[in-house]
Amino acid sequence: MLACAPALLMGQAKKYSAKQIEALKKEAAAKVEANAKLAQVMVDKVFSFSELGFQEVETSKYLTGILEENGFTIEQGISGIPTAWFAKWGNGKPVIAIGSDLDCIPKASQKPGVAYHDPIVEGAPGHGEGHNSGTPLNIAAVLAVKEIMEREKMSGTLIVWPGVAEELVGTKAFYTRDGYFDDVDISIFTHVGNNFGVSYGQASGTGLISVEYSFEGEAAHAAGAPWRGKSALDAVELTSIGWQYQREHLDPLQRSHHVIKDGGDQPNVVPSKASIWFYYRNVTYPKIMEMYEKGNRIADGAAMMTGTTVTRRVLGSAWPRHFNKVIAETMYENIKKVGLPTWSDDDQTLAKALQKELGNPKQEGLPTALDTLKPPTRNFVSGGSDDIGDISWKLPTVTMRFPSNIPGLPGHHWANAVAMATPIAHKGVVAGAKAEAMTLVDFLLKPELVTQAWDYYRNVQMMDTEYKPMIADDEKPATHLNTEIQDEFRPQLKPFYYDESKYGTYLEQLGIKYPTVKSEQ
């Protein structure tokens, strides 16, 4: 495959000196700055759509429309996912994939710029993870670089792609399995953060496998003839309690959690169908699969005890992440050149008020010292997961964290949406787009960097690890998830979609004074 030998297939018609490359990088950053208005509009627009995983219909339509208008060829519905796409522009090597996530969080609706809970629509989804910002950042970066590539007649292919349903870790393993990254040379991923940085090597956090156990029994009148019933809900509850008893004997680095998706219809009917959904997380692939097998045995045992049957479906998966040293070091040099945004007094007031509202022991506001280049973790550190991990084991990959949110927030929470359509988010996206654009220029014009990135990937990262997808060849993405929730709230959210033709910002459209804080603050 092409990606297996990038050094043999690359080459530029024109050679650029180090001074010329630096001048082009400065130009790319300047173009991003000149297009800051588009970045702000994209961030605000996607925020207003508030779409859950697999339901990113308006988001994908809007973003692919911008890319198509700028000459990108869009492949829709990749891996059988209606809201997933690949947008390509350019020719030849290197092939660089630039990705970020799209989806939001259930029940996280929140007015931006308001430092206390104040939903746009009560109970609705909202961007309580900040995924409205990453793809706008990527588009701002690639449009700046594309202009330079066209003028300079530079070789290279840019691919913009979305992490659909990341909160469900529901797609990237399928993209990888289905060959979408087979001919890609390097992967640059972006994710919102509260500082500006990048890491390499073994990352903190976990991988996971997401599985739903569905039980089927026999219905009966719960009072008239309960002995004739076989309760699927009993099996669900036994599976839950069985796993709780298992926890005492699990590796302390594991994380596991579940929800009951179907507990029956009404109390006077013995439930004939019920289901429970688990995330099993751990820091290595073997440990994840060991947890999965233990969970399967517990579910099988629950079915035996209740006389029911059980089937299981893998809904998503994520390998633990490992990031590329060469890409990270190159990117961090550009991050240093860009630096953190200059925060206004209003920005800091919002940040400190929100930190106080959440009861944080310290209210230090937004960072003023740039994050460091993070080396590999010496010991495993547990925590969250991201299915960019699967792509990171397919080819050289990094995740750049850009400064568009506030430190000290709980995550997956309305508070994480407060900053995400404010000047804080806008400034962070522009800063991130500058660093990304500069890094793209580096890899487009320095083929030796791609060669070095693959050397690290093959001879360091992959020395003792073989990547095995957790999903089987016949498994399909769980595109049914979140349909009912989004169908319920989409009509309620639609009147609040951002109209950039009438309002300069989403804050202006909502009539929010920035920042809005409680009077005692």
Side-chain angles (χ1 to χ4, degrees), residues 275-308:
S275 63
I276 186 168
W277 180 13
F278 277 86
Y279 277 12
Y280 300 120
R281 304 186 196 245
N282 218 313
V283 294
T284 67
Y285 168 81
K287 289 184 176 182
I288 296 165
M289 300 311 288
E290 181 182 344
M291 291 176 69
Y292 177 44
E293 290 305 317
K294 287 179 178 178
N296 292 344
R297 289 196 297 270
I298 289 171
D300 289 342
M304 291 177 63
M305 285 188 282
T306 54
T308 59

Side-chain angles (χ1 to χ4, degrees), residues 154 329 350 507:
M154 290 163 53
E329 289 177 337
L350 179 70
L507 290 171

Side-chain angles (χ1 to χ4, degrees), residues 41-201:
V41 169
M42 289 190 290
V43 168
D44 287 4
K45 190 89 164 181
V46 177
F47 183 94
S48 74
F49 292 144
S50 298
E51 292 178 307
L52 294 167
F54 291 120
Q55 308 305 316
E56 309 96 329
V57 176
E58 298 294 339
T59 301
S60 286
K61 180 181 177 182
Y62 170 66
L63 295 173
T64 56
I66 293 170
L67 289 163
E68 197 164 27
E69 287 173 7
N70 284 276
F72 281 73
T73 300
I74 315 295
E75 180 182 355
Q76 300 279 6
I78 66 172
S79 290
I81 301 161
T83 55
W85 41 271
F86 252 36
K88 293 184 181 181
W89 179 86
N91 287 288
K93 308 288 275 182
V95 180
I96 304 176
I98 304 108
S100 196
D101 300 320
L102 299 181
D103 56 329
C104 70
I105 301 291
K107 297 182 176 67
S109 180
Q110 173 64 27
K111 292 177 182 175
V114 178
Y116 49 85
H117 191 208
D118 189 7
I120 297 171
V121 173
E122 183 66 46
H127 273 286
E129 173 76 0
H131 285 173
N132 61 301
S133 56
T135 303
L137 182 160
N138 293 342
I139 292 174
V142 299
L143 293 185
V145 173
K146 175 178 174 285
E147 284 189 44
I148 295 171
M149 291 176 70
E150 287 176 314
R151 185 192 68 215
E152 298 290 320
K153 297 180 173 56
M154 290 163 53
S155 172
T157 303
L158 304 178
I159 300 172
V160 181
W161 62 275
V164 166
E166 187 278 332
E167 298 301 344
L168 307 171
V169 290
T171 57
K172 298 185 187 85
F174 290 97
Y175 301 164
T176 306
R177 182 197 68 183
D178 295 343
Y180 285 96
F181 289 86
D182 285 357
D183 296 331
V184 176
D185 293 310
I186 67 167
S187 166
I188 294 176
F189 196 72
T190 61
H191 196 285
V192 62
N194 53 54
N195 205 310
F196 200 3
V198 67
S199 67
Y200 67 90

Side-chain angles (χ1 to χ4, degrees), residues 176-458:
T176 306
R177 182 197 68 183
D178 295 343
Y180 285 96
F181 289 86
D182 285 357
D183 296 331
V184 176
D185 293 310
I186 67 167
S187 166
I188 294 176
F189 196 72
T190 61
H191 196 285
V192 62
N194 53 54
N195 205 310
F196 200 3
V198 67
S199 67
Y200 67 90
Q202 172 187 290
S204 62
T206 59
L208 73 80
I209 189 164
S210 165
V211 58
E212 184 176 27
Y213 299 103
S214 297
F215 294 87
E216 188 163 354
E218 289 284 347
H221 194 300
W227 54 87
R228 298 186 66 175
K230 296 177 181 178
S231 175
L233 178 57
D234 287 351
V236 160
E237 292 181 307
L238 286 165
T239 301
S240 173
I241 197 65
W243 188 258
Q244 306 316 326
Y245 279 111
Q246 182 71 64
R247 286 181 189 276
E248 179 185 357
H249 312 289
L250 296 175
D251 184 329
L253 291 169
Q254 72 84 30
R255 298 287 187 272
S256 50
H257 5 268
H258 66 267
V259 294
I260 295 174
K261 291 294 289 181
D262 179 4
D265 299 305
Q266 58 191 57
N268 65 335
V269 180
V270 173
S272 61
K273 294 184 178 181
S275 63
I276 186 168
W277 180 13
F278 277 86
Y279 277 12
Y280 300 120
R281 304 186 196 245
N282 218 313
V283 294
T284 67
Y285 168 81
K287 289 184 176 182
I288 296 165
M289 300 311 288
E290 181 182 344
M291 291 176 69
Y292 177 44
E293 290 305 317
K294 287 179 178 178
N296 292 344
R297 289 196 297 270
I298 289 171
D300 289 342
M304 291 177 63
M305 285 188 282
T306 54
T308 59
T309 60
V310 61
T311 57
R312 62 179 179 266
R313 179 181 179 183
V314 174
L315 302 179
S317 66
W319 261 65
R321 292 154 289 177
H322 189 114
F323 295 129
N324 190 268
K325 183 179 182 182
V326 176
I327 307 175
E329 289 177 337
T330 304
M331 177 166 273
Y332 189 68
E333 289 304 308
N334 293 318
I335 288 171
K336 288 194 297 184
K337 290 172 183 174
V338 174
L340 283 168
T342 300
W343 308 119
S344 69
D345 290 343
D346 286 343
D347 298 334
Q348 292 288 9
T349 296
L350 179 70
K352 291 175 183 178
L354 182 60
Q355 291 163 345
K356 183 177 181 180
E357 175 71 13
L358 295 171
N360 292 9
K362 295 181 179 180
Q363 294 97 46
E364 296 180 338
L366 298 164
T368 55
L370 188 67
D371 202 358
T372 59
L373 174 63
K374 297 284 177 58
T377 56
R378 293 185 178 182
N379 301 302
F380 288 116
V381 178
S382 191
S385 315
D386 190 319
D387 48 356
I388 191 62
D390 284 81
I391 294 170
S392 77
W393 289 97
K394 180 69 176 178
L395 74 159
T397 300
V398 296
T399 293
M400 178 185 73
R401 294 201 169 254
F402 56 93
S404 282
N405 217 325
I406 295 167
L409 307 185
H412 294 182
H413 190 268
W414 62 262
N416 291 74
V418 167
M420 292 313 305
T422 74
I424 296 171
H426 305 149
K427 293 173 186 178
V429 162
V430 170
K434 289 177 181 178
E436 181 172 76
M438 294 164 74
T439 304
L440 290 172
V441 172
D442 278 325
F443 279 88
L444 287 165
L445 297 181
K446 300 176 184 177
E448 67 275 12
L449 289 178
V450 181
T451 303
Q452 292 164 15
W454 276 90
D455 180 68
Y456 175 89
Y457 170 82
R458 293 193 187 99

